[in-house]
C-alpha cells in the first residue's frame, strides 16, 4: 500500500522507513493519505479511516508507531474505523537477559525492536551482568559476547527512532559469577558471585561498571541490581572481618553505589527482594519475599533510598490478592514501585504460556488498580538459554495490549494484534507450551515442569527421569505435537524459522522420551533381541534426529545471537550423541554375550525429586543441564585458586 503522510513527520521518517517492509507500505508522495498530528494529551492515541483519508493522532513518539500498525491492520480489513486508546502505564517493555550466553546480535536486536515498535512498547531493559565493555577490566565479559560501547550506542540509536527508551540493567553486588571466576580478578571476590564490599578496589570497579554501562545510552535510567545477594559477607569478607549484619553491609554498599549513580545524574532502579527477605528475618528464600506477614522495621525503611525505583518481581502467582499483599508489603519502603513479571522461557526449549499469560494478566490488572506506572516483562535465560526471546512475542503482546486497555484485553484482540505485529498466529505460538505442558503436568503447567529439556539431555541407560514420566505416553504426545507444529507453519512468514527447532525437538523426543523405560523393561525380562534391535536401529535413529536438531538450533542461534555461548549447547548435543553411541555399544555387548550384565539397567528407578506428578507437582523440573545428564560429578571445586 502506497501511503502519503501529511503533517510534521520528519522525526518519524527513520522509523517509518525501517518498518515499511514489515507492514507492507511504501511511503512517498502519492497513495493513501494519512494525516499525522501530535496531541497535547501525552497518553492518548487516535487512529481512523473515514473512507477518504486516514489519521493518526498521538501523544508520544512511540505511540505513533503503534498507531501506524493499527492503521495498516484495520485498513486491510476494509471499511471505515475509528480507534481511541489511552496508555495505562507510563513505561512498558521487555527485559532481555543478555548474560546467560545468548547475547542478541545487532541484527537480532533490531528485528526485535521492530516488533516492539508495532506493539507500542516504549522501553527496553538490557540485563547485562558482564556483557558490556569496561576499558579498565579486560576480563569483564571476556569471550562472552560482550557489547562494545559502539554496539550499545547503535542499539540505543535504533530504539530511539521508535521512541523506545533503552537502558542498562547491571549487577553491582551479586550475580557476578562469570566475571569473578577469573583468577586475575579474585581480589574483587567475596564468594563465587558476590563482590567483596568495603574495599577501595571494589568501589572503583563499581564506578567503572556504572560508566561502562550508562555512557552509550540517552536514557538516564540505570538498574543497579542488588537482588538475590544471599551470599553477601559469607566468604572472604567473613574471614577478614568476622560476622556483620547483612542489612548493614548491604545498606553501606548501596549508599556508595547510589552516590556514584547520583554524581552522574542517573536515575537508579533496583530489585526489591533483598529488603523484604531481610525484613522477614532470614533472607534465604523466595517464600520470605512473598510472605504476606512480612513487616518492614522502621529502622530499615528509613535507610532505604527514596529516589531509587524499587522493582517488585513476581512470575508465578495467579490470584489478585497474592500481588496485592506483596505490593502492600512494599509500601512502607517508600519511593516509587515498578513491577516485573515474566514470559517463561527459563530453562526450556519452549515457552510456558499457560502460566505466563494467566499470571501476567492478573498481575497487570492489579498493577493498574494499585497505581503502579511501570511494568516490565522479563525473559530469563537460565542455564545456557536453549530458548529465545522471539518465541515469547505472544507474551510481550499481552503486556502491550494491557498497556493500552483499562481492562484485560480480549483474546480475539490479542490474537489479531500478535498476528499483525509478528506475522505468526497466536495459536502457533501457543503450541510451544506443549513442549512442556505434557500429560501429567499440572493445569497450565503452573509448577513449571520442563521435560523438553531434561528428556533431551537425560542419559538413556541411567534414566534419571524415567520414573517421573512412566505411563504418560509422551512418545505419542511429541509425535502428535510434531505434526501440529509442521501443519501450522508458514514458510513465507519472517519468523517461521523459530518453529524449526521445536519441530525437530519433537522428532527427537517422540523416539527418546520413553526409550529408557523400554530398555529397562527389555533388560528386566531378559529380552536380548529387543536390546540388540534398540542398539542397531532405535538408538542410531535417535542420534540422527539429534544431529538434525543440532543443525537447526545452530542455524537459529547464529541468526539471532552472537556466536559466543553456542559452544555450550554444541557440547551438550555432543554429549547426547556420545552417550547414545556408548549405550548402543553396551547393549550390543550384552546382547551378543560379551558382558554378563548391564549394571546401569539393573539399578532401581527412583523419582528424580520431590517435584513429581505423584504429589501434584507436575512431571518435574530441573534447573541444571549437568544434573539432567548425570548423577555423577561434573565438577567439584572447594577452592578454585
Amino acid at each position: 500500500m502506497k501511503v502519503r503522510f501529511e503533517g510534521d513527520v520528519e522525526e518519524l521518517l527513520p522509523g517509518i522507513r525501517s518498518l515499511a517492509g514489515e507492514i507492507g507500505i511504501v511511503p512517498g508522495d502519492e497513495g493513501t493519505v494519512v494525516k499525522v498530528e501530535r496531541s497535547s494529551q501525552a497518553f492518548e492515541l487516535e487512529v481512523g479511516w473515514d473512507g477518504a483519508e486516514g489519521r493518526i493522532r498521538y501523544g508520544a513518539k512511540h505511540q505513533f508507531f503503534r498507531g501506524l500498525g493499527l492503521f495498516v491492520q484495520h485498513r486491510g480489513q476494509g471499511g471505515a474505523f475509528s480507534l481511541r486508546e489511552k496508555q495505562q502505564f507510563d513505561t512498558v517493555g521487555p527485559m532481555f537477559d543478555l548474560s546467560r550466553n545468548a547475547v542478541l546480535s545487532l541484527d537480532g536486536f533490531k528485528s526485535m525492536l521492530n516488533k516492539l515498535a508495532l506493539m507500542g512498547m516504549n522501553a527496553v531493559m538490557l540485563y547485562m551482568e558482564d556483557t558490556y565493555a569496561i576499558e579498565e577490566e579486560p576480563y569483564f565479559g571476556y569471550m562472552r559476547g560482550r557489547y562494545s560501547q559502539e554496539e550499545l550506542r547503535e542499539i540505543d540509536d535504533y530504539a530511539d527512532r521508535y521512541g523506545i527508551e533503552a537502558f542498562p540493567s547491571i549487577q553491582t553486588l551479586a550475580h557476578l559469577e562469570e566475571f569473578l571466576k577469573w583468577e586475575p580478578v579474585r581480589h574483587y571476590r567475596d564468594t563465587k558471585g558476590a563482590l567483596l564490599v568495603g574495599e577501595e578496589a571494589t568501589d572503583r570497579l563499581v564506578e567503572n561498571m556504572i560508566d561502562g554501562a550508562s555512557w552509550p545510552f540517552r536514557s538516564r535510567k540505570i538498574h543497579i541490581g542488588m537482588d538475590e545477594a544471599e551470599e553477601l559477607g559469607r566468604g572472604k569478607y567473613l574471614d577478614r572481618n568476622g560476622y556483620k549484619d547483612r542489612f548493614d553491609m548491604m545498606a553501606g554498599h548501596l549508599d556508595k553505589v547510589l552516590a556514584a549513580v547520583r554524581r552522574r545524574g542517573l536515575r537508579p532502579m533496583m530489585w526489591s527482594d533483598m529488603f523484604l527477605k531481610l525484613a522477614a528475618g532470614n533472607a534465604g528464600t523466595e517464600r520470605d519475599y512473598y510472605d504476606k506477614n512480612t513487616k518492614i522495621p522502621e529502622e530499615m525503611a528509613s535507610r532505604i533510598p527514596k529516589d531509587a525505583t524499587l522493582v517488585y518481581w513476581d512470575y508465578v502467582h495467579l490470584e489478585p490478592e497474592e500481588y496485592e499483599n506483596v505490593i502492600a508489603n512494599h509500601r512502607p519502603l517508600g519511593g516509587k514501585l515498578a513491577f516485573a513479571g515474566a514470559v517463561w522461557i527459563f530453562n526450556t526449549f519452549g515457552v510456558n504460556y499457560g502460566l505466563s499469560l494467566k499470571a501476567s494478566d492478573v498481575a497487570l490488572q492489579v498493577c493498574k488498580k494499585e497505581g503502579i506506572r511501570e511494568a516490565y516483562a522479563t525473559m530469563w535465560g537460565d542455564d545456557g538459554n536453549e530458548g529465545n526471546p522471539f518465541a515469547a512475542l505472544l507474551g510481550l503482546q499481552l503486556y502491550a495490549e494491557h498497556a493500552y486497555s483499562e481492562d484485560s484485553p480480549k483474546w480475539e484482540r490479542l490474537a489479531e494484534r500478535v498476528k499483525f505485529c509478528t506475522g505468526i498466529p497466536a495459536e502457533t505460538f501457543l503450541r510451544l507450551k506443549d513442549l512442556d505442558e505434557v500429560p501429567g503436568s499440572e493445569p497450565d503447567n503452573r509448577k513449571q515442569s520442563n521435560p523438553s529439556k531434561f528428556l533431551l539431555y537425560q542419559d538413556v541407560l541411567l534414566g534419571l527421569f524415567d520414573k517421573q514420566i512412566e505411563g504418560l505416553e509422551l512418545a505419542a504426545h511429541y509425535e502428535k505435537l510434531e505434526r501440529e507444529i509442521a501443519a501450522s507453519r508458514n514458510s513465507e512468514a519472517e519468523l517461521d524459522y523459530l518453529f524449526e527447532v521445536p519441530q525437530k525437538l519433537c522428532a527427537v523426543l517422540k523416539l527418546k522420551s520413553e526409550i529408557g523405560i523400554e530398555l529397562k523393561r527389555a533388560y528386566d525380562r531378559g529380552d536380548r533381541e529387543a536390546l540388540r534391535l534398540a542398539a542397531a536401529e532405535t538408538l542410531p535413529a535417535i542420534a540422527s534426529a539429534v544431529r538434525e536438531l543440532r543443525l537447526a538450533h545452530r542455524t537459529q542461534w547464529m541468526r539471532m545471537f552472537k556466536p559466543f555461548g553456542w559452544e555450550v549447547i554444541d557440547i551438550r548435543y555432543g554429549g547426547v550423541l556420545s552417550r547414545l553411541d556408548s549405550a548402543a555399544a553396551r547393549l550390543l555387548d550384552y546382547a551378543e554375550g560379551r558382558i554378563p550384565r548391564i549394571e546401569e539397567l539393573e539399578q532401581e528407578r527412583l523419582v528424580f525429586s520431590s517435584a513429581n506428578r505423584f504429589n501434584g507437582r507436575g512431571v518435574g523440573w530441573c534447573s541444571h543441564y549437568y544434573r539432567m545428564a548425570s548423577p555423577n560429578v561434573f565438577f567439584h571445586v572447594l577452592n578454585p585458586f
Side-chain angles (χ1 to χ4, degrees), residues 261-277:
V261 167
R262 291 170 186 137
R263 284 195 298 271
R264 291 159 175 81
L266 300 170
R267 301 194 305 275
M269 304 171 67
M270 58 187 295
W271 304 112
S272 66
D273 60 292
M274 282 303 294
F275 293 119
L276 268 70
K277 289 176 184 177

Side-chain angles (χ1 to χ4, degrees), residues 559-634:
R559 187 164 176 173
M560 63 179 70
F561 300 129
K562 293 190 175 190
F564 302 95
W566 169 250
E567 74 281 359
V568 172
I569 309 299
D570 225 2
I571 290 166
R572 292 178 182 181
Y573 282 125
V576 173
L577 290 168
S578 291
R579 287 300 298 156
L580 286 168
D581 180 69
S582 291
R586 294 279 287 157
L587 294 176
L588 279 176
D589 281 346
Y590 174 73
E592 296 174 1
R594 288 186 289 275
I595 58 175
R597 60 195 180 113
I598 302 176
E599 292 180 80
E600 303 95 314
L601 294 180
E602 292 188 351
Q603 296 289 311
E604 179 187 1
R605 284 352 188 199
L606 305 176
V607 294
F608 181 80
S609 72
S610 61
N612 59 70
R613 74 184 199 276
F614 307 111
N615 57 18
R617 296 180 63 187
V619 297
W621 169 266
C622 185
S623 297
H624 303 292
Y625 156 77
Y626 68 91
R627 292 299 184 211
M628 300 173 192
S630 171
N632 290 298
V633 176
F634 263 64

Side-chain angles (χ1 to χ4, degrees), residues 88-93 123 125 165 167 221 268-269 309-312 336-340 364 367 371-376:
Q88 304 297 305
F89 295 109
D90 298 346
T91 304
V92 62
M125 192 190 312
E165 181 182 20
F167 64 95
K221 283 183 181 178
M269 304 171 67
T309 297
L310 296 181
V311 184
Y312 155 43
K336 189 177 179 182
L337 184 62
F339 175 75
L364 294 171
C367 286
I372 293 176
R373 302 295 300 178
E374 286 187 67
Y376 300 94

Side-chain angles (χ1 to χ4, degrees), residues 357-375:
L357 295 180
K358 292 194 174 181
S360 296
D361 185 54
V362 173
L364 294 171
Q365 276 299 97
V366 172
C367 286
K368 294 175 192 178
K369 174 187 169 186
E370 295 286 337
I372 293 176
R373 302 295 300 178
E374 286 187 67

Side-chain angles (χ1 to χ4, degrees), residues 522-540:
Y523 184 80
D524 287 347
R525 66 176 183 264
D527 191 342
R528 292 178 184 246
E529 178 56 24
L531 296 176
R532 188 198 64 76
L533 192 64
E537 297 183 10
T538 308
L539 297 191

Side-chain angles (χ1 to χ4, degrees), residues 490-522:
N490 175 8
S491 61
E492 295 183 1
E494 175 205 350
L495 295 181
D496 179 69
Y497 76 96
L498 296 177
F499 300 91
E500 184 74 4
V501 170
Q503 184 177 332
K504 297 291 188 184
L505 177 60
C506 288
V508 172
L509 295 183
K510 72 181 182 184
L511 301 174
K512 186 175 186 292
S513 59
E514 298 181 79
I515 186 62
I517 296 170
E518 295 170 8
L519 294 177
K520 172 69 171 163
R521 287 173 178 166

Side-chain angles (χ1 to χ4, degrees), residues 174-187:
H175 279 301
L176 289 165
E177 290 86 349
E178 299 310 315
F179 171 55
L180 296 177
K181 70 189 175 194
W182 297 108
E183 185 273 335
V185 301
R186 63 182 177 180
H187 52 286

Side-chain angles (χ1 to χ4, degrees), residues 44-341:
E44 292 190 359
L45 172 64
E46 296 178 38
V47 182
W49 168 256
D50 62 11
E53 62 184 23
R55 71 180 186 281
I56 301 175
R57 192 166 185 264
Y58 66 99
K61 184 178 179 180
H62 70 278
Q63 291 173 340
F64 168 80
F65 294 100
R66 177 177 172 86
L68 177 59
L70 285 167
F71 177 81
V72 175
Q73 176 188 338
H74 287 271
R75 181 73 180 88
Q77 296 170 2
F81 62 90
S82 181
L83 307 171
R84 177 174 291 183
E85 296 181 333
K86 185 173 182 180
Q87 193 169 326
Q88 304 297 305
F89 295 109
D90 298 346
T91 304
V92 62
M95 185 224 74
F96 296 118
D97 184 351
L98 305 166
S99 300
R100 270 54 174 240
N101 295 353
V103 180
L104 282 166
S105 66
L106 290 184
D107 286 344
F109 220 124
K110 290 174 181 178
S111 176
M112 178 63 76
L113 287 167
N114 291 344
K115 312 297 183 285
L116 301 181
L118 291 172
M119 292 179 185
M121 300 288 202
N122 66 346
V124 59
M125 192 190 312
L126 287 74
Y127 179 75
M128 303 178 291
E129 292 173 357
D130 67 329
T131 49
Y132 57 98
I134 299 177
E135 184 178 351
E136 299 84 354
E137 299 290 344
Y139 283 94
F140 199 82
Y142 174 59
M143 290 292 180
R144 293 255 293 135
R146 65 189 172 202
Y147 289 118
S148 68
Q149 300 280 295
E150 293 74 20
E151 287 174 318
L152 289 176
R153 171 61 77 182
E154 188 170 342
I155 291 170
D156 186 63
D157 286 343
Y158 198 85
D160 182 67
R161 71 176 56 182
Y162 297 130
I164 296 174
E165 181 182 20
F167 64 95
S169 173
I170 64 173
Q171 291 288 356
T172 57
L173 179 57
H175 279 301
L176 289 165
E177 290 86 349
E178 299 310 315
F179 171 55
L180 296 177
K181 70 189 175 194
W182 297 108
E183 185 273 335
V185 301
R186 63 182 177 180
H187 52 286
Y188 294 132
R189 194 173 81 168
D190 177 12
T191 64
K192 66 176 182 177
L195 291 174
L196 183 60
V197 301
E199 301 288 325
E200 288 186 9
T202 300
D203 295 342
R204 286 194 300 272
L205 171 66
V206 169
E207 297 246 3
N208 290 334
M209 285 177 171
I210 294 168
D211 284 335
S214 65
W215 179 85
F217 296 96
R218 292 169 172 80
S219 175
R220 294 293 81 200
K221 283 183 181 178
I222 184 170
H223 195 308
I224 58 173
M226 307 291 289
D227 63 312
E228 297 181 323
E230 286 82 5
E231 297 177 1
L232 178 62
R234 292 181 173 179
K236 193 185 301 182
Y237 185 96
L238 183 64
D239 295 338
R240 290 185 181 182
N241 303 291
Y243 175 80
K244 302 289 183 182
D245 180 83
R246 278 191 291 163
F247 178 72
D248 288 338
M249 293 173 60
M250 184 174 177
H253 181 69
L254 177 59
D255 286 343
K256 292 180 179 180
V257 174
L258 290 176
V261 167
R262 291 170 186 137
R263 284 195 298 271
R264 291 159 175 81
L266 300 170
R267 301 194 305 275
M269 304 171 67
M270 58 187 295
W271 304 112
S272 66
D273 60 292
M274 282 303 294
F275 293 119
L276 268 70
K277 289 176 184 177
L278 289 164
N282 88 20
T285 68
E286 288 186 16
R287 184 182 63 233
D288 303 320
Y289 184 35
Y290 299 124
D291 187 347
K292 68 179 181 179
N293 297 313
T294 296
K295 303 297 181 185
I296 306 297
E298 185 176 338
E299 180 184 2
M300 177 182 288
S302 68
R303 294 187 63 183
I304 294 172
K306 302 303 182 281
D307 62 340
T309 297
L310 296 181
V311 184
Y312 155 43
W313 55 266
D314 195 331
Y315 311 144
V316 300
H317 291 109
L318 297 170
E319 298 300 329
E321 56 268 24
E322 294 175 307
Y323 295 97
E324 292 165 357
N325 289 335
V326 182
I327 290 171
N329 288 345
H330 281 82
R331 297 301 188 193
L333 298 174
K336 189 177 179 182
L337 184 62
F339 175 75

